[in-house]
């Protein structure tokens, strides 16, 4: 079950781990989405965009940012 979308957030399911989260990409709010706080680099971002067509949860983004060798 995905979380209810609130405050302009979209209820989403992470395509990498299957976890539910609230996505703030494109939301009309003062605070940007959590995803902008992760430094992944252009190559890693391109890899993720090629593999999935939706956003990843904070836990997956944190793991991928922490370990560049971790498979997407």
């Amino acid at each position: 079950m995905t979380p209810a979308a609130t405050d302009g957030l979209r209820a989403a399911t992470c395509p990498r781990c299957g976890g539910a989260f609230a996505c703030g990409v494109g939301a009309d709010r003062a605070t940007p989405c959590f995803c902008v706080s992760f430094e992944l680099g252009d190559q890693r971002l391109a890899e993720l965009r090629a593999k999935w067509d939706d956003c990843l949860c904070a836990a997956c983004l944190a793991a991928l940012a922490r370990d560049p060798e971790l498979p997407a």
Side-chain angles (χ1 to χ4, degrees), residues 27-54:
D28 183 22
R29 45 191 223 127
T31 306
C33 186
F34 64 82
C35 67
V36 300
S37 65
F38 296 99
E39 293 290 330
L40 296 166
D42 292 339
Q43 183 175 351
R44 182 64 128 176
L45 285 173
E47 177 186 353
L48 297 177
R49 287 182 180 127
K51 188 165 186 172
W52 294 298
D53 60 356
D54 204 357

Side-chain angles (χ1 to χ4, degrees), residues 2-3 10-13 16-19 21 25 34 36-38 40-42 45-46 48 50 55-56 58 63 69-70:
T2 58
R10 174 178 62 93
T13 301
R16 184 172 181 266
C17 72
F21 69 101
V25 170
F34 64 82
V36 300
S37 65
F38 296 99
L40 296 166
D42 292 339
L45 285 173
L48 297 177
C55 299
L56 302 182
E69 300 301 316
L70 189 66

